Amino acid sequence: AAPPAAQAEEPSPERIICRSRPELNTRTRMLRVCMTAAEWAHHATNMEQQRRDINDWGAQGGAGPAQ
């Protein structure tokens, strides 16, 4: 018997996930990006850190990244 749908399993970190992203400097072209689930998680962490760094930089009056 199959496990109940309510019990979602963690995706394998080696599973390949492809996502479409808008290509820079175009209005209609999409870029397909494929990475493992682990790479997407690492990418999300890096993007969140960059967002925090930018917010911190702005809160300091644009004086540069915190050292």
Side-chain angles (χ1 to χ4, degrees):
Q7 294 178 349
E9 295 181 22
E10 282 290 317
S12 166
E14 298 304 314
R15 183 175 60 125
I16 300 292
I17 302 169
C18 295
R19 298 180 181 164
S20 294
R21 304 257 172 147
E23 191 171 328
L24 293 177
N25 300 321
T26 69
R27 292 182 185 212
T28 57
R29 292 184 71 183
M30 296 296 282
L31 182 64
R32 187 172 168 99
V33 180
C34 297
M35 293 190 264
T36 65
E39 289 171 327
W40 279 115
H42 181 73
H43 177 72
T45 300
N46 286 345
M47 294 301 291
E48 179 62 23
Q49 183 60 49
Q50 286 180 5
R51 185 193 62 77
R52 281 194 301 268
D53 290 347
I54 290 169
N55 284 342
D56 292 346
W57 180 70
Q60 295 173 6
Q67 299 277 329

